[in-house]
Amino acid sequence: MSILEGLNPQQLEAVTLPHQSALILAGAGSGKTRVLTTRIAWLIQTGQIGPLSIMAVTFTNKAAREMLTRISAMLPINTRGMWVGTFHGLCNRILRAHYREAGLPQTFQILDSADQLAVIKRVMKAMNVDDEKYPPRQAQGFIKLGQGAGLAGGASGRA
């Protein structure tokens, strides 16, 4: 069975576009994921590109897993290591690989807002900062805005 089987004319056109970047715009339920995964599989199957030379970015981990599952169902390849993931996941992967160039320590951490607030509370408690006078959420807001100067003894706003 051909991986192109069952595509409508518009989907087939999108899947078989010349080897170049492509932007697929379509409404909900129109088969975008099918088109994208089939295009990836087609590019690999026709030898136009290697599996590790493709980047597919999506919004959710669920969608990324679905794309990898579909690609592996179409082709006899190991999808591990392919650049298919969320914006956040792929950026994290890039930073992990290039932490030196980014000026980061190898063991850097990426914190969500709740984690950031917990760290601020721990630091403020360790420094005996009055959290009534300097509310942790307000401190977090100042840090995010880069306006941390003057907080807790003149600490810099850089995190």
Side-chain angles (χ1 to χ4, degrees):
M1 180 173 115
S2 166
I3 62 172
L4 301 178
E5 197 172 299
L7 296 174
N8 68 35
Q10 294 83 10
Q11 291 171 331
L12 181 62
E13 180 183 6
V15 167
T16 59
L17 284 169
H19 172 67
Q20 62 189 30
S21 297
L23 174 64
I24 309 298
L25 298 173
S30 62
K32 287 183 302 297
T33 301
R34 181 177 186 194
V35 167
L36 293 172
T37 54
T38 304
R39 178 164 173 77
I40 291 168
W42 181 76
L43 287 168
I44 294 168
Q45 187 180 60
T46 58
Q48 295 183 54
I49 200 155
L52 301 180
S53 299
I54 293 173
M55 180 179 281
V57 184
T58 185
F59 288 100
T60 66
N61 287 319
K62 181 181 176 186
R65 282 190 302 274
E66 176 67 20
M67 289 179 76
L68 288 170
T69 299
R70 290 185 189 196
I71 292 166
S72 64
M74 286 185 255
L75 297 175
I77 62 168
N78 182 354
T79 58
R80 188 173 177 89
M82 286 184 69
W83 288 84
V84 177
T86 64
F87 292 97
H88 294 100
L90 292 173
C91 288
N92 182 44
R93 184 172 164 187
I94 291 167
L95 285 173
R96 295 272 170 222
H98 301 282
Y99 65 92
R100 283 187 192 98
E101 294 93 327
L104 297 168
Q106 185 174 9
T107 57
F108 76 90
Q109 293 182 7
I110 297 175
L111 305 176
D112 65 16
S113 291
D115 293 334
Q116 293 167 8
L117 187 58
V119 168
I120 291 167
K121 287 178 179 179
R122 278 198 309 272
V123 169
M124 289 176 73
K125 184 176 181 175
M127 295 178 68
N128 294 317
V129 175
D130 181 0
D131 64 359
E132 294 291 324
K133 188 172 181 181
Y134 301 103
R137 280 201 189 281
Q138 188 176 12
Q140 182 182 28
F142 284 133
I143 293 168
K144 283 183 179 181
L145 293 172
Q147 300 173 353
L151 286 178
S156 166
R158 306 193 107 203

